[in-house]
Amino acid sequence: SALSEVYESSRRLDDAEAALQTITRLQPNVAYHQYRLAKFYERTGNANKAHAAYVRADNLKPQQQRKMRPLLPSR
């Protein structure tokens, strides 16, 4: 969220983390929010939390779509 970016740029890392965690709690099924939280943890040097957030993001990715069989040529 933009709020977390503002907090991070002004070195209020606790508030930035809280803002990112809030958005992941409000929309827990959106992998993008988990990914942003993981990138934040990487920038702040918290590798364990970053890894956990990446795992959650990967688990939320949509499953690969099944392909339909090809149609027979028309007559």
Side-chain angles (χ1 to χ4, degrees):
S1 69
L3 182 60
S4 67
E5 292 174 11
V6 170
Y7 282 142
E8 188 175 352
S9 66
S10 62
R11 304 284 187 232
R12 293 175 59 182
L13 299 180
D14 291 337
D15 292 330
E17 180 181 10
L20 288 167
Q21 287 176 340
T22 299
I23 198 163
T24 58
R25 273 195 308 274
L26 292 174
Q27 297 179 343
N29 296 327
V30 180
Y32 176 71
H33 298 312
Q34 294 291 337
Y35 178 76
R36 286 190 62 197
L37 183 61
K39 295 303 272 182
F40 169 77
Y41 286 139
E42 279 186 344
R43 288 191 301 272
T44 57
N46 198 334
N48 292 336
K49 285 185 176 181
H51 177 71
Y54 278 128
V55 168
R56 286 190 303 271
D58 285 341
N59 289 338
L60 291 173
K61 286 184 181 176
Q63 299 298 318
Q64 189 174 22
Q65 296 290 324
R66 291 177 48 185
K67 293 184 179 177
M68 297 177 68
R69 63 182 169 83
L71 295 175
L72 297 174
S74 60
R75 295 181 188 200

